[in-house]
Structures are given as C-alpha cells and as structure tokens.
C-alpha cells in the first residue's frame, strides 16, 4: 500500500511512531500499569472523542465567534457541554496524578493524544491548554491547600485558568511589568492591567483562576516579580476585582476570547517564593511550548487529511475522450501531498521524542535524568517554533492542493491558515526562541542538549544503515553539518550581536538536523518510509542555506 492509498490512520501512525521512539520502552517499564495495547486503545479513543465531541464546534467557533456583552464574554453554543464531556472522559487530567483527580499517565500520552483535540477545534481547546498548564504550575509551586483545592477542579473541568503576563507596555520584556501586589491586612491585593489573555472571561466554567505576574517590594526588572493565583470570584462567590475591558477582534481563533483584564485590589494567593515569579512560571511555560507544538501538529494533520481527500476526489486532466482522472494521480500533486505528509510526520515524531524525554527526566534518576532534561531544554524552542510553522505552512500547502476551492470558506483549510498564524507569536516569538536556543542552550548550557541530541542521532543512523545505507549516509552528512555550524556559533560567544543576527538561521539548521534524525525513524516505520526518504532528500540543501544565513555579516542588518 502506498502513502497515497493510506486511509489516514493517525492513531495507527502514533502507535507505530511511539514504538520507534527512543526511551519509549524504558518509559513503559517505569509505568507498570501501561502497555502497548492499552496505549493503542487510548490513542484510538482520543481520536474518536475529538471527532465526535470537539470537531462539531469548529465551524461555529469561527463563524459565530465570541461576544462581549454587559461586561461579560459570551462563547459559542455548545462549549460548556463539550468541555464537561472531555473533562468526564479524562482529557483534562491525562498526565495529572490520580490523587489530584487525573489519570497519572505519561506526558508522552498527552502529546500523542492531544493533537487530535487541538486539530478538531483549536479555538475551543485554548481553554483546556491553559488550564492543564496551570495545573502543572500549581502542583509545582503552590501550597498544599491551593493545590488540593484548585487542581482537582481544573481536571474536572469545573474551574478554568489563564496565564496573565503581558501588559500594554510589557510584552516579551516582562521586566517592565507594572501590575503591583501589596500585602494588606495579611492578604495580597493586586492592581493593574493585563492583555492578550485567552479565555480571560467566559461562562464555560464556574470559576477562573488567573496565574499572574505582579511586582512586589522594591525590586526592579524580573527580580521584583512574584507569581500569584487570582480567582475571578472569591470563595464566597463575590466578585474579586477582576473585570474585562474588551475582547480583541482577531485574524483567527475567533472562538477563543482574547481579553484585556483590569485588576482592582483583587485578592491573590502567592505561589512559591516572593520575587521568584518568573523562574517559577517556567513550570507552566514548558507545558505551553509543548502545547503550541501539539496545536500546530493537530491543525496540520487535519489540513493534510482535507488535501488528501480532495485530491482523491477531484477529477481533472487525462485523455479528453476518457473520464477525468483524480488529481492525486498527477505527479506534481503527488509531490505536494508527499511534502505535506512529511512535514506532519516529522513533527509528530519529534514531539513524541521530546515528550518521552520530559517523562524520563522526571522518572529516571541521576545522570540519565540529567541527559533527558538537557535534551528537553534544547528541543523545546525548536518544537514550539517549528510546530507553529508546520501548522501554518501545511494549511497553506493544503490550500494550494485545493486550488481556488481552498481559498473559499466552503473548505476548512482557509480557517486553519488563519487560526495557526498566531502560533509563531504567542508563548515567545520565533526570534525569542532562537535567542534562547543560541544563548542559553548552546552558550550557557555549554551545548549539553546538543551533545545529547548528537548521541541519539548517531544511534538512529546506525540503526538505519543495514536497512537503507544511502539515507543513513545522507542524514549523517546533514547532522555533521549542523555539528560544525554549532562549533562556529559557539566561537561567537564574545560577539553576541553578530551571533544574534544568525540565531534564527542557526535554529532552522538545528531543525534540519532533527528532521534528518526523524526522517530515519520514519524510514524504519511502516508505512511511513517513503515520506521519510522524500523529506531527507532536500535537507542537505536546506541546511547549507541556513548555515550560510547564520553567517550573515552584521553590517547588512545593523549598518549603523
């Protein structure tokens, strides 16, 4: 069976790729109640729930959107019922410990199943994503009373959560945050404004907890920031000084209300240590970056399904005296479909590799855990960035396959394009991720994550040699090129402005190297081998281009 005849069995692909993921068998051993048969059933059931409960919301989410009436946000019909249904199915707490209401499954299973939901209705799932990330944050830094009160409610879908960082004059530059928290009569009171808050207000859940950065004491910059949980309602049900100023009119994600919030002496709960807000927040940001990658994958996979189905059904060309042929028989269309499928499956394989390492970093001990943690830190900026780009680029490529039909609202791929454009912006823009990848992961960490990757890549190459020597050699050249480029970028540590000019190109070269490793994995995974070979074919030229861009002379971008 060729990939063009493949019935688009995404659960089957997930199960096959998990089997091939390094560390997966070790993770199964560390999770005694889990086996491959159970995993396959969970993945298949997740796809079914996403299609039956979440996907029907997507059209209304886009066309009806959200409304701001009398100071409150009104979401599309069906949101509350659907949110309760996915909560009851365990979707909101899949990887949360059972003593806090979850299923206690590995993060890897959330990463395997989550894209089905994200692709079904990405706007609706913005609430679920923020609430899951908040649960991780509270488990990491909140006191026992707050954890035991809030996390089970978030998992049950009764309460929701947001992440409140940005302000009108403080976006990525969080050191300029002005929102203040003052201790009054033994309680913290927060006053200020926050913007770009997804699901900052709604009626889907009974209560909303805002995970918020505010300034305490006399510290300046990020050192003066503390982390708080600020409920929209107090324990007695009274309003807590949180109000909505407006909701944004956006290009896409119309079914996700993006709110500007005002806090006026709102009572908050200090999370963790005062003045340590930003480093503590990374427990949530790590989850949000993985989520962004899963959002991109979910939408890309859905768009790919539409492109393949349309190409099989749409008939154009062939002999004029015969029945027109399906456009999927034309070589150029087949090339486009292969390129789409390759982007999707490379990303899926990379996300699974990352998520398994996130699990093992928590479950292994000592040196093994350190290796996984270094790899996770190194991979997250790329997963976030190229998960976002894959979602948008595949949606665009699907429009091209559909031609004029794809540009119309009759087909869902134009919505996918609009919905995914923001993924490369929130949770840290691509440029910010690139600077993190260069300055923290290469310079500050002395390339520990890079070393971990190279060791994994070498094992993947050796495992493929007997099966496909040519592909193994190609991947080895691509990854070797990136290793040499990394040495060059490391030598620029004393020239940070020069290095910054090439940071994004350097990270793109890193994704080429990761893609080469994942292409080998696809080659060893039926029926994905043709996709892996197709993607690998172009990577040598791509990494050479990015290596050249990484060496861009500073005076071209900074002539002053």
């Amino acid at each position: 069976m060729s990939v063009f005849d493949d019935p688009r069995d995404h659960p089957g692909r997930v199960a096959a790729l998990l089997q091939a993921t390094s560390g997966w068998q070790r993770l199964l051993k560390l999770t005694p109640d889990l086996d491959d048969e159970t995993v396959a059933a969970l993945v298949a059931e997740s796809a079914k729930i996403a299609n039956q409960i979440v996907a029907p919301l997507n059209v209304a989410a886009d066309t009806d959107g959200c409304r701001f009436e009398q100071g409150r946000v009104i979401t599309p019909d069906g949101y509350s019922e659907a949110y309760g249904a996915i909560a009851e199915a365990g979707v909101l707490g899949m990887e949360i410990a059972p003593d806090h209401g979850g299923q206690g499954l590995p993060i890897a299973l959330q990463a395997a199943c989550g894209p089905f939901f994200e692709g079904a209705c990405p706007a609706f799932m913005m609430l679920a994503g923020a609430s899951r990330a908040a649960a991780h944050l509270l488990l990491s830094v909140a006191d026992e009373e707050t954890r035991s009160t809030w996390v089970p409610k978030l998992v049950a879908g009764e309460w929701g959560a947001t992440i409140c960082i940005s302000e009108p004059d403080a976006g990525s530059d969080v050191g300029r945050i002005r929102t203040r928290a003052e201790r009054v009569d033994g309680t913290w009171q927060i006053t200020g404004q926050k913007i770009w808050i997804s699901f900052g207000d709604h009626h889907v859940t009974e209560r909303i907890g805002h995970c918020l950065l505010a300034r305490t004491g006399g510290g300046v910059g990020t050192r003066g920031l503390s982390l708080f949980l600020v409920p929209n309602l107090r324990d007695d049900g009274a309003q807590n000084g949180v109000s909505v100023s407006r909701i944004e009119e956006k290009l896409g994600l119309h079914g996700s209300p993006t709110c500007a919030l005002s806090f006026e002496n709102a009572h908050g709960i200090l999370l963790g240590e005062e003045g340590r807000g930003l480093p503590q927040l990374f427990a949530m940001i790590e989850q949000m970056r993985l989520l962004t990658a899963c959002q991109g994958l979910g939408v890309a996979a859905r768009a790919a399904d539409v492109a393949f189905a349309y190409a099989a059904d749409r008939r154009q060309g062939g002999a004029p005296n015969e029945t027109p042929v399906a456009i999927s028989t034309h070589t150029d269309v087949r090339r486009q479909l292969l390129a789409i499928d390759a982007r999707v499956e490379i990303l899926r394989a990379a996300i699974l590799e990352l998520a398994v390492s996130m699990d093992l970093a928590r479950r292994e001990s000592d040196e093994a855990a350190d290796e996984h943690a270094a790899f996770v830190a190194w991979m997250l900026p790329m997963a976030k960035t190229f998960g976002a780009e894959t979602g948008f680029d595949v949606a665009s490529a699907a429009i091209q396959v559909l031609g004029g039909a794809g540009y119309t609202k009759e087909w869902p791929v134009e919505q996918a394009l609009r919905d995914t454009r923001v993924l490369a912006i929130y949770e840290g823009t691509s440029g910010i991720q690139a600077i993190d990848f260069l300055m923290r992961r290469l310079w500050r960490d002395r390339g520990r994550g890079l070393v971990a990757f190279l060791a994994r890549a070498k094992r993947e190459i050796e495992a493929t040699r007997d099966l496909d020597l040519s592909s193994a050699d190609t991947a080895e050249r691509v990854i070797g090129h990136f290793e040499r480029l990394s040495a060059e970028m490391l030598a620029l540590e004393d020239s940070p402005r020069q290095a910054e000019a090439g940071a994004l190109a350097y990270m793109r070269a890193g994704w080429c190297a990761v893609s080469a490793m994942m292409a080998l994995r696809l080659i060893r995974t039926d029926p994905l081998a043709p996709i892996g070979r197709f993607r690998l074919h172009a990577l040598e030229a791509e990494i050479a281009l990015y290596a050249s861009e990484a060496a861009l002379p500073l005076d071209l971008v900074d002539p002053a």
Side-chain angles (χ1 to χ4, degrees):
M1 177 184 291
S2 79
V3 292
F4 300 104
D5 300 321
D6 180 9
R8 315 299 297 161
D9 176 18
H10 292 293
R13 290 182 173 195
V14 170
L17 282 173
L18 271 175
Q19 286 282 348
T21 299
S22 60
W24 174 246
Q25 294 304 321
R26 173 61 178 164
L27 182 57
L28 285 181
K29 289 181 180 179
L30 295 172
T31 316
D33 296 334
L34 204 60
D35 55 39
D36 288 322
E37 184 177 347
T38 303
V39 168
L42 281 169
V43 171
E45 183 65 15
S46 293
K48 179 181 176 182
I49 294 170
N51 284 327
Q52 292 180 347
I53 295 175
V54 180
L57 300 173
N58 200 41
V59 172
D62 187 53
T63 57
D64 298 345
C66 300
R67 307 190 309 277
F68 184 45
E69 296 180 356
Q70 299 180 340
R72 293 302 307 273
V73 172
I74 310 299
T75 55
D77 292 341
Y79 267 31
S80 295
E81 296 80 3
Y83 201 70
I86 64 172
E88 186 177 355
V91 173
L92 302 181
M94 188 175 289
E95 77 284 23
I96 301 298
D99 55 354
H100 287 97
Q103 299 185 58
L105 296 170
I107 293 171
L109 267 183
Q110 171 60 42
C113 299
F116 297 125
F117 296 92
E118 302 300 339
C121 184
F124 168 77
M125 290 301 296
M126 292 287 286
L127 172 58
S131 297
R132 281 184 48 254
H136 282 275
L137 176 66
L138 296 177
L139 289 172
S140 174
V141 300
D143 60 80
E144 178 55 37
E145 180 181 357
T146 303
R147 285 198 303 268
S148 61
T149 301
W150 274 86
V151 176
K153 291 286 191 180
L154 292 173
V155 170
E158 297 174 23
W159 295 354
T162 73
I163 178 170
C164 290
I165 300 178
S166 295
E167 298 182 4
D169 296 316
S172 301
D173 189 1
V174 295
R176 299 184 187 275
I177 282 176
R178 296 181 180 180
T179 296
R180 292 203 61 84
E182 297 182 351
R183 200 162 178 81
V184 179
D185 297 329
T187 63
W188 287 99
Q189 294 187 4
I190 289 89
T191 298
Q193 290 181 302
K194 296 291 182 180
I195 58 174
W196 313 127
I197 312 305
S198 299
F199 279 91
D201 185 60
H202 54 84
H203 293 284
V204 178
T205 62
E206 300 167 0
R207 201 179 187 192
I208 305 167
H210 303 290
C211 298
L212 177 146
L213 279 178
R215 194 163 296 285
T216 56
V220 296
T222 60
R223 294 182 179 180
L225 297 176
S226 299
L227 187 59
F228 294 89
L229 176 66
V230 184
N232 69 326
L233 302 175
R234 300 186 184 185
D235 291 341
D236 62 3
Q239 296 295 318
N240 189 32
V242 183
S243 60
V244 186
S245 306
R246 67 179 186 278
I247 59 174
E248 308 293 348
E249 295 292 335
K250 309 190 298 293
L251 174 69
L253 292 180
H254 296 155
S256 172
T258 302
C259 302
L261 300 180
S262 294
F263 297 83
E264 294 291 339
N265 297 320
H267 289 195
I269 303 166
L270 179 66
L271 300 177
E273 299 177 41
E274 184 179 349
R276 295 274 301 161
L278 188 59
Q280 290 171 169
L281 188 65
F282 273 94
M284 190 176 194
I285 290 175
E286 183 180 81
Q287 294 297 320
M288 296 298 281
R289 287 181 177 175
L290 176 63
L291 169 63
T292 305
C294 290
Q295 289 172 319
L297 172 59
V299 177
R302 284 261 173 178
D305 288 347
V306 174
F308 270 80
Y310 184 90
D313 184 65
R314 174 66 166 163
R315 297 189 172 273
Q316 290 281 281
N321 59 340
E322 296 180 4
T323 302
V325 299
I327 64 171
S328 61
T329 63
H330 298 309
T331 304
D332 181 62
V333 174
R334 293 168 80 88
R335 175 193 59 78
Q336 293 179 61
L337 293 173
L338 274 173
I340 286 171
D341 225 11
R343 294 289 297 271
V344 170
E345 299 308 331
I346 289 287
L347 176 60
R348 195 194 309 270
I351 287 174
L352 294 177
E353 181 82 8
L354 170 60
V356 168
S357 283
M358 291 173 74
D359 284 312
L360 293 175
R362 292 161 172 77
R363 301 183 187 216
E364 290 281 21
S365 58
D366 303 329
E367 189 174 338
D370 290 343
E371 187 270 347
H372 286 291
F375 177 76
V376 167
W378 184 80
M379 270 288 290
L380 272 171
M382 287 191 289
K384 189 276 176 189
T385 299
F386 300 108
E389 291 193 2
T390 299
F392 183 81
D393 291 347
V394 167
S396 180
I399 290 174
Q400 192 70 22
V401 171
L402 270 66
Y407 196 65
T408 69
K409 289 185 178 294
E410 182 179 355
W411 293 86
V413 283
E414 64 85 28
Q415 180 191 342
L417 186 84
R418 291 184 286 104
D419 284 347
T420 52
R421 182 58 187 91
V422 74
L423 300 186
I425 298 172
Y426 62 45
E427 308 309 330
T429 64
S430 300
I432 287 174
Q433 300 296 334
I435 291 171
D436 178 47
F437 185 69
L438 172 66
M439 296 186 178
R440 289 194 178 95
R441 304 311 153 206
L442 183 64
W443 293 354
R444 190 190 68 183
D445 294 352
R446 311 315 299 169
R448 291 191 305 117
L450 170 63
V451 170
F453 162 71
L454 292 173
R456 294 175 187 220
K458 182 178 180 180
R459 291 194 293 269
E460 201 76 38
I461 290 167
E462 294 306 316
T464 312
R465 282 203 189 280
D466 290 341
L467 176 65
D468 188 335
L469 177 61
S470 176
S471 293
D473 287 346
T474 299
E476 188 171 45
R477 290 193 298 271
V478 171
I479 293 163
H481 198 154
F482 176 65
E483 185 177 8
R484 292 188 296 275
L485 176 61
S486 296
E488 294 172 13
M489 298 302 287
L490 188 61
L492 290 176
E493 189 170 4
D494 293 331
S495 305
R497 288 187 65 81
Q498 172 68 64
E500 184 179 339
L504 183 57
Y506 172 59
M507 187 171 67
R508 291 192 185 284
W511 185 245
C512 285
V514 170
S515 297
M517 173 179 160
M518 297 308 160
L520 295 184
R521 187 161 297 170
L522 298 185
I523 288 170
R524 297 191 296 109
T525 306
D526 277 339
L528 303 179
I531 304 171
R533 292 189 178 95
F534 178 89
R535 184 70 189 103
L536 194 58
H537 180 76
L539 284 173
E540 278 193 278
E542 288 182 20
I543 197 168
L545 172 63
Y546 295 136
S548 175
E549 290 182 2
L552 186 71
L554 181 60
D555 60 4
L556 290 181
V557 294
D558 191 12

